[in-house]
Amino acid sequence: VKKASLADIASALSVSKSLVSIVLNGRGDELNISPDTQKRVHAKAKELHYVPNVFAKGLKEGKSHTIGLLVSDISNEFYARLCKIIEGELRHSKYHLMICNSDEDVEREKELLETLINRSADGIIVSTGQKDKEMFKRIVENGTPVVFIDRDLPNSDVDYVGVDNIGGTEEVITHLAGLGYQRIGLITVGPTHVSTINDRITGYKNALKNTGLKYSGNLVKEVSADNLMDNVREAVKELLMSPNQVNAIFAINNHVASTCLEVFNEMKLKVPQDIALVCFDDSPVMRLSYPPVTVIAQPVDQIGVEASKLILNRINQKGKDVKTDIVKEVLDVELIIRRSCGDYLKNL
Amino acid sequence: VKKASLADIASALSVSKSLVSIVLNGRGDELNISPDTQKRVHAKAKELHYVPNVFAKGLKEGKSHTIGLLVSDISNEFYARLCKIIEGELRHSKYHLMICNSDEDVEREKELLETLINRSADGIIVSTGQKDKEMFKRIVENGTPVVFIDRDLPNSDVDYVGVDNIGGTEEVITHLAGLGYQRIGLITVGPTHVSTINDRITGYKNALKNTGLKYSGNLVKEVSADNLMDNVREAVKELLMSPNQVNAIFAINNHVASTCLEVFNEMKLKVPQDIALVCFDDSPVMRLSYPPVTVIAQPVDQIGVEASKLILNRINQKGKDVKTDIVKEVLDVELIIRRSCGDYLKNL
DNA sequence: ATGAAAGCGCTAACAA
DNA sequence: TTGTTAGCGCTTTCAT
């Protein structure tokens, strides 16, 4: 079953391919093609179920009409939701979305970026795990717009949408301190260069300083993402032991937080009596767990909407000589207080 | 910045394009190209950062080296995990994965299937929401292999991987009945033609019959997926009221189940004292909620692995005259008993 | 108002 | 062992 081509409809109508191409691309009026001819072309195209060959088009135009979305972990609710939102936003644009998952693997991310470039993606939205901006510099200079979501790269000439990770973390840690918690541990994932992680760690340190609590490297446990459960279990044990004896834990993200909850269950630790818990990112688990967890919630939908706008803007202004400044959108987060860190003094 | 083409490296080496093409496609030895020449070609290709143009290649070959994965709701943990697994399985194949999200919209799904076909996807893995198999029949007949995941379509000549939805549901409902629950409500989403949903409803009815409980249409609430929270709240209220007065609810999937939990919280209903809950699909929410929810767990990873195998097999056997029978893989599910349906008699 | 022809980068059949 | 050539389907410039 061979698909109809421009040539097929041209010969069926005894006109030239160029004529058909022009009409089908909506430039018929512009070039004074007679209305009658246009009508016949459209009719025949429909009759033959004509669909343009994307490869031929791409080869000729050097464009793919595709936007690549590269997320770092599609099984994380945060990114999954982002995919859904962005797909929805782009649905009625003339671009198709190609979703890719780097699975927090820097090499994999590079491969996927190469793929996207090879396929002439018209734009790329990415939550990057890269350490440096070199690759993106190259990509942007070669004419493919990029928008960073969630994670930024310092001094990169690339648009960005994310949230105030430092401020948000300061807020939640200060909240804990205000409730009387004095020994607050942090469980983070790494090693990593990811800006969100680093910013949250910074926010944690800032807040300790501002509230007069003392910071100690012992209170910060960096666990590896593989075998997360085992690593978190270990980290929790160490944090609870002397000399740390923390009475509250800040989990760097929803994934770590839910793993903490699993470990607490296992160890029969009561929240917040035995240990308080707060984290970055809201999710159904945080709302429905026992007790519900106090979180810093990100405006996920808004991030997706803004990122879609940014990439479309960049794509549209390409070629034109408008030069828009790099946009770094930092959205506000929201502290949602639940019951995982009841008043510490009352718990005594 | 212009990218290097076959011609560039050919002229730099004063050889022909075909020579270069052959060498770069690894057919050099086969065609007796001298090792020295091959070496020079590879060296020059690397030097020029040559990457084949996918459009030219696609145009020529009619293949895209891409497998499409079309899921019905990427923000659902089940599908998000499936994406992750399949991406991992295909990573080291020579195919790229293009993930798409139909968001449970049949029209959207059709559009995306068309897109995938236009882009000459070499194969398509899909969790379909279509009512009939016509579209897939056309796709398969035109030479693009398809594998259904999660949801099957009756009498379709298409490979499938999923689980025993009927048996699984029978098991959990029978479990409830065994604990003494006699009035078991069902909350499902719809209207829909999705096989998994229908099978679970069938399983529910079968189990009631087998355990001697009587079935009533009043016990089954079909809610619309938009405004799920409001609809579930309404459904729960009606199920609790006379004459239904259910003491247990079977939620058709994880999404409905977590919404039920939110509603129960809102209404201050205690699980399982006021109402027991069980559902299809396991997830962190079900493990970490209070109390943890008894579920039918699907072997998600295995579904992903099997689907990847199936699509690769179909793609590889294309053109060859091997004719393999249609495969319908129905995997086993696991009943995981937690505390959301304690012994009914003891609860009295 | 419409057509002819070149060329995008690649592969494969055929020549040499 | 390597080169020549045609053509995949489309857009676009230049003719008519």
Side-chain angles (χ1 to χ4, degrees), chain A residues 6 17-18 21 50 60:
Chain A
L6 270 195
K17 289 193 297 175
S18 24
S21 169
Y50 172 74
K60 185 70 190 172

Side-chain angles (χ1 to χ4, degrees), chain B residues 116-136:
Chain B
L116 254 12
I117 296 302
N118 288 353
R119 309 205 158 208
S120 305
D122 296 295
I124 299 177
I125 301 176
V126 53
S127 69
T128 185
Q130 308 277 342
K131 179 172 191 176
D132 54 52
K133 61 186 183 186
E134 294 318 314
M135 183 151 191
F136 295 107

Side-chain angles (χ1 to χ4, degrees), chain B residues 57-90:
Chain B
K57 214 169 168 139
L59 181 55
K60 183 70 190 173
E61 300 181 329
K63 298 200 284 178
S64 64
H65 302 280
T66 296
I67 290 176
L69 170 56
L70 180 38
V71 297
S72 38
D73 180 6
I74 200 160
S75 71
N76 184 317
E77 299 210 47
F78 175 76
Y79 295 113
R81 172 106 200 141
L82 223 32
C83 288
K84 182 188 175 114
I85 298 293
I86 293 175
E87 155 104 15
E89 289 297 306
L90 260 30

Side-chain angles (χ1 to χ4, degrees), chain A residues 291-337:
Chain A
V293 179
T294 292
V295 301
I296 292 292
Q298 303 194 45
V300 192
D301 294 11
Q302 200 187 344
I303 295 175
V305 170
E306 294 300 318
S308 307
K309 275 189 202 156
L310 284 178
I311 198 70
L312 289 177
N313 283 345
R314 284 289 168 201
I315 292 174
N316 289 332
Q317 78 178 39
K318 238 181 71 179
K320 318 208 172 111
D321 51 354
V322 264
K323 279 262 191 293
T324 320
D325 286 342
I326 296 301
V327 180
K328 298 282 185 186
E329 279 194 56
V330 178
L331 307 176
D332 281 337
V333 293
E334 186 191 0
L335 173 64
I336 301 180
I337 297 174

Side-chain angles (χ1 to χ4, degrees), chain B residues 97-320:
Chain B
L97 225 215
M98 179 161 176
I99 302 173
C100 307
N101 179 36
S102 67
D103 223 23
E104 299 288 7
D105 178 333
V106 180
E107 282 313 307
R108 179 66 175 149
E109 183 188 333
K110 281 188 184 166
E111 285 173 27
L112 289 169
L113 284 169
E114 292 291 359
T115 301
L116 254 12
I117 296 302
N118 288 353
R119 309 205 158 208
S120 305
D122 296 295
I124 299 177
I125 301 176
V126 53
S127 69
T128 185
Q130 308 277 342
K131 179 172 191 176
D132 54 52
K133 61 186 183 186
E134 294 318 314
M135 183 151 191
F136 295 107
K137 199 177 161 198
R138 211 189 79 216
I139 293 176
V140 171
E141 279 171 359
N142 283 338
T144 306
V146 174
V147 169
F148 287 148
I149 41 170
D150 184 45
R151 307 164 172 191
D152 199 7
L153 236 33
N155 306 318
S156 54
D157 287 345
V158 170
D159 289 345
Y160 163 79
V161 196
V163 301
D164 181 5
N165 286 282
I166 298 182
T169 306
E170 287 174 357
E171 194 175 353
V172 72
I173 299 294
T174 304
H175 171 72
L176 275 180
L179 291 174
Y181 293 94
Q182 308 226 2
R183 303 199 57 79
I184 306 170
L186 164 57
I187 301 184
T188 181
V189 285
T192 177
H193 310 289
V194 171
S195 68
T196 50
I197 301 289
N198 292 333
D199 284 354
R200 291 171 198 176
I201 295 176
T202 301
Y204 165 81
K205 291 180 186 171
N206 288 354
L208 291 192
K209 195 172 174 189
N210 295 342
T211 54
L213 298 178
K214 84 165 191 301
Y215 165 76
S216 151
N218 288 330
L219 294 176
V220 177
K221 298 294 173 190
E222 180 181 283
V223 302
S224 151
D226 19 75
N227 265 62
L228 190 62
M229 183 87 175
D230 292 338
N231 296 330
V232 166
R233 187 185 297 113
E234 208 49 46
V236 168
K237 279 184 188 159
E238 288 175 18
L239 286 174
L240 288 172
M241 282 191 321
S242 178
N244 298 321
Q245 302 180 62
V246 305
N247 39 34
I249 287 178
F250 169 57
I252 206 84
N253 62 25
N254 59 359
H255 205 173
V256 171
S258 63
T259 309
C260 280
L261 287 172
E262 306 236 23
V263 166
F264 293 167
N265 277 351
E266 213 183 67
M267 299 170 71
K268 313 271 184 219
L269 292 172
K270 297 262 181 263
V271 178
Q273 295 85 341
D274 300 326
I275 184 85
L277 180 71
V278 299
C279 78
F280 218 98
D281 292 334
D282 195 14
S283 79
V285 176
M286 301 308 140
R287 282 196 293 281
L288 295 169
S289 65
Y290 182 76
V293 179
T294 292
V295 302
I296 292 293
Q298 303 195 45
V300 191
D301 294 12
Q302 201 187 344
I303 295 175
V305 170
E306 293 301 317
S308 307
K309 272 189 205 157
L310 284 178
I311 198 70
L312 288 176
N313 282 346
R314 284 290 170 201
I315 292 174
N316 289 333
Q317 80 177 41
K318 238 180 72 178
K320 320 212 170 110

